[in-house]
Amino acid sequence: SLSKDLRLGLGISPTFGNATEWDDAFIGRYQGAYSEIKAININPSVAYRVNDMVSLGFGLNYVKFEADLRGMQPITALLPNTVDIESKLSGDDTGWGWNAGVIFQLNPALRVGLTYRSKIDLDVEGKVEAGPTSTPAKVSIELPDMASLALAYQASDKLQILADYTWTGWSSIPRLKVQHRNFGVVLTDEYLGFKDSYRVGIGMQYQYTDALRLRAGVAYDQSPIRKAEDRTVRLPDSDRTWLAIGFNYKLNKQTSIDAGYARLFFDKEKIDRRTVLGTNATGQFVRGSFDTSVNIFSVQLNHAF
C-alpha cells in the first residue's frame, strides 16, 4: 500500500505449459515422443481505487518461454522402423505484454470484474538436433490474449456465490513452422489448427466457522482442438469438466492455510493424424482415442505482514 487507494503488486507464475512423454516403442513416436513447454510470467502491477464503486488495475508481463520437443526419425522410409534416431527441437525467448482490469462494486452484495491480458509475440531461437547434426532454427509464436468476466455475490453473511467466464484467443497459434535461422528454409511445419476457446465456472465459499471457510466449484473448459485430424500426440487435448473442493483455515489473525483438490474429466476424443517428417507427408496415420483424467492437489500458506 502506497496510500489508502493506491497499491503496487508483483506476481510470478506459470501461464502456459504442457508436458507429455511416450514410451520408446509408441507407434506415434514419429509425431512426438517428448514435449515440454514452459512460460514463466513476471507481472508487476498497480491498482487504484477511484471511489467506493470503481477500482482499476494495470500490469506489465515479462515472459520467459522455453520449449523442448522431441520425436523419432526412421533410418529408412519404412514406418515403423526398428532403428530410429532422436530428433530434438529446443529454443527459448522472452517477450513483453500487458494486462488491465476493472472492478465494479454494484451494491454491497455484488461485485463484477473485467480483465484483459494481451498477446505476446515471441521469436523463439534454438536448434534442431538429429543424431550428430545440429541446425540453427527459429519459430515465431504469438501467445494468445485472454479476457475474463467474473461475478461475486454475497448471498448471506456466510455464503458467497462466484462465477466466471474466460475467453482465450488460441487461434493465434495455427501452426508451428520451424525455419533455418540463417537461410529461412522451412525445416518442419506442424499444423495445429487451434481455435478460440472458453471456460465457464461457478463456485461457492461458505464461512463454516470463524476459522474455517469451505469452497466448492464446477467448470466447463473447452479445448482449442476441434478435429481428430488436428489432435496431436504432443497435446492430446479435449473438452473437460472440472470438479473442485477446498478450504481455508485461519491459524491466527495473520496466518492461514489453503488446501484444494480438483478432478478433471476429459471427453474421450479420437486422433486421426498423418505423420509428417520434416515437410514431407508419409503414408502413416496415427489413429486411436484418448481417455484422460487428471487429479490436482494443492496446498498454500498465507501470511500477512
Side-chain angles (χ1 to χ4, degrees), residues 109-111 149-155 159-165 200-206 213-218:
L110 180 60
R111 190 166 67 248
L149 167 67
L151 307 173
Y153 177 66
Q154 195 69 40
L159 178 63
Q160 185 182 46
I161 305 298
L162 306 167
D164 76 287
Y165 174 91
V200 61
I202 186 169
M204 56 77 70
Q205 297 190 107
Y206 185 76
R213 179 183 298 171
L214 304 176
R215 298 181 173 126
V218 60

Side-chain angles (χ1 to χ4, degrees), residues 20-296:
T20 53
E21 184 174 8
W22 298 96
D23 294 337
D24 292 342
F26 174 50
I27 196 67
R29 62 189 180 274
Y30 305 113
Q31 295 187 13
Y34 175 86
S35 308
E36 184 177 34
I37 295 173
K38 294 184 292 186
I40 304 299
N41 185 52
I42 301 174
N43 188 191
S45 59
V46 58
Y48 179 69
R49 183 169 61 181
V50 179
N51 52 45
D52 290 342
M53 293 185 63
V54 179
S55 298
L56 304 174
F58 180 80
L60 295 175
N61 296 277
Y62 176 76
V63 172
K64 170 67 173 176
F65 181 88
E66 298 178 359
D68 181 351
L69 306 177
R70 307 178 196 178
M72 304 305 292
Q73 290 187 359
I75 297 298
T76 67
L78 184 64
L79 298 178
N81 203 310
T82 56
V83 181
D84 301 323
I85 59 173
E86 183 181 66
S87 175
K88 177 181 177 181
L89 167 65
S90 58
D92 59 74
D93 192 28
T94 58
W96 289 90
W98 58 274
N99 61 282
V102 58
I103 293 177
F104 300 99
Q105 188 76 48
L106 299 183
N107 58 51
L110 180 60
R111 190 166 67 248
V112 177
L114 294 168
T115 63
Y116 176 78
R117 187 176 295 274
S118 73
K119 295 179 180 179
I120 297 179
D121 293 324
L122 298 171
D123 293 314
V124 181
E125 294 189 350
K127 57 187 177 180
V128 175
E129 300 170 275
T133 66
S134 178
T135 304
K138 63 179 181 179
V139 57
S140 295
I141 298 174
E142 190 176 62
L143 295 181
D145 54 343
M146 302 174 66
S148 295
L149 167 67
L151 307 173
Y153 177 66
Q154 195 69 40
S156 69
D157 291 342
K158 292 188 174 184
L159 178 63
Q160 185 182 46
I161 305 298
L162 306 167
D164 76 287
Y165 174 91
T166 298
W167 170 91
T168 304
W170 280 114
S171 59
S172 66
I173 311 179
R175 64 196 326 116
L176 290 178
K177 184 164 70 173
V178 181
Q179 297 175 283
H180 194 289
R181 197 162 71 233
N182 300 326
F183 306 116
V185 177
V186 176
L187 303 176
T188 63
D189 189 359
E190 188 169 346
Y191 182 75
L192 299 174
F194 283 0
K195 308 295 184 185
D196 297 344
S197 65
Y198 70 90
R199 176 188 181 278
V200 61
I202 186 169
M204 56 77 70
Q205 297 190 107
Y206 185 76
Q207 196 70 45
Y208 186 72
T209 66
D210 290 342
L212 179 61
R213 179 183 298 171
L214 304 176
R215 298 181 173 126
V218 60
Y220 176 77
D221 200 352
Q222 185 186 40
S223 170
I225 303 169
R226 305 283 197 273
K227 299 179 181 179
E229 295 83 358
D230 296 337
R231 191 163 287 107
T232 72
V233 299
R234 295 193 186 279
L235 186 65
D237 198 25
S238 63
D239 297 348
R240 52 204 172 272
T241 300
W242 295 61
L243 295 177
I245 56 173
F247 67 87
N248 171 272
Y249 187 78
K250 289 183 178 180
L251 301 176
N252 53 52
K253 289 184 177 181
Q254 292 178 292
T255 308
S256 67
I257 294 175
D258 284 297
Y261 166 71
R263 171 76 172 184
L264 279 63
F265 301 88
F266 286 73
D267 290 353
K268 190 172 183 178
E269 291 288 0
K270 295 181 179 180
I271 182 173
D272 187 3
R273 189 175 179 90
R274 182 190 291 270
T275 298
V276 177
L277 297 177
T279 57
N280 300 315
T282 71
Q284 186 200 53
F285 285 80
V286 175
R287 294 189 172 105
S289 60
F290 296 100
D291 191 3
T292 308
S293 61
V294 174
N295 296 294
I296 300 175

